[in-house]
Amino acid sequence: SKSDFISGFIIPGEDREPETLNLKSTCRTMTVLPFTDPSLSRRRILGFLQQFEYYDSMQVMPSVKSYKDFVVFDMFHRQPYAFSDVAQFGRGCAYDGAVDAPFITL
């Protein structure tokens, strides 16, 4: 219930427009599938979240700067923050869609 809700955050990816949360025209999805509606995924996830009474209490945070950034929750400040550690990302990443060959070709 809303009274049990402490905090909720939406942290957009680097592929999102900061003002609208739509996909950027330069993101991989839009360049590979240019017929994609850039607002569709935003409308779907926000439409889903709007079902819950705590939706209005959620905060939209700044986008991460890179898909390789890690987002952690700072318990002291009670909010998430992102930091970059490319080496750690590389050690834990089995497939990097931005540099590795695609699984599926169109």
Side-chain angles (χ1 to χ4, degrees), residues 14-16 23-32:
E14 68 170 318
D15 61 344
R16 299 288 170 164
L23 289 171
K24 291 180 179 177
S25 61
T26 56
C27 79
R28 185 176 180 140
T29 299
M30 294 303 294
T31 56
V32 172

Side-chain angles (χ1 to χ4, degrees), residues 30-49:
M30 294 303 294
T31 56
V32 172
L33 306 168
F35 50 83
T36 301
D37 177 351
S39 69
L40 181 62
S41 60
R42 172 193 50 87
R43 289 185 287 122
R44 284 199 174 156
I45 188 64
L46 294 183
F48 171 75
L49 291 173

Side-chain angles (χ1 to χ4, degrees), residues 9-21:
F9 304 94
I10 298 171
I11 304 170
E14 68 170 318
D15 61 344
R16 299 288 170 164
E17 294 289 351
E19 307 82 29
T20 64
L21 302 182

Side-chain angles (χ1 to χ4, degrees), residues 21-84:
L21 302 182
N22 290 346
L23 289 171
K24 291 180 179 177
S25 61
T26 56
C27 79
R28 185 176 180 140
T29 299
M30 294 303 294
T31 56
V32 172
L33 306 168
F35 50 83
T36 301
D37 177 351
S39 69
L40 181 62
S41 60
R42 172 193 50 87
R43 289 185 287 122
R44 284 199 174 156
I45 188 64
L46 294 183
F48 171 75
L49 291 173
Q50 286 173 348
Q51 300 176 68
F52 302 97
E53 58 188 27
Y54 55 76
Y55 174 77
D56 291 335
S57 301
M58 296 186 73
Q59 297 177 316
V60 177
M61 303 302 288
S63 298
V64 294
K65 292 181 176 52
S66 168
Y67 68 95
K68 294 182 179 184
D69 286 357
F70 292 90
V71 177
V72 296
F73 191 78
D74 179 342
M75 295 297 285
F76 181 74
H77 294 99
R78 302 190 76 119
Q79 67 178 6
Y81 70 96
F83 69 95
S84 184

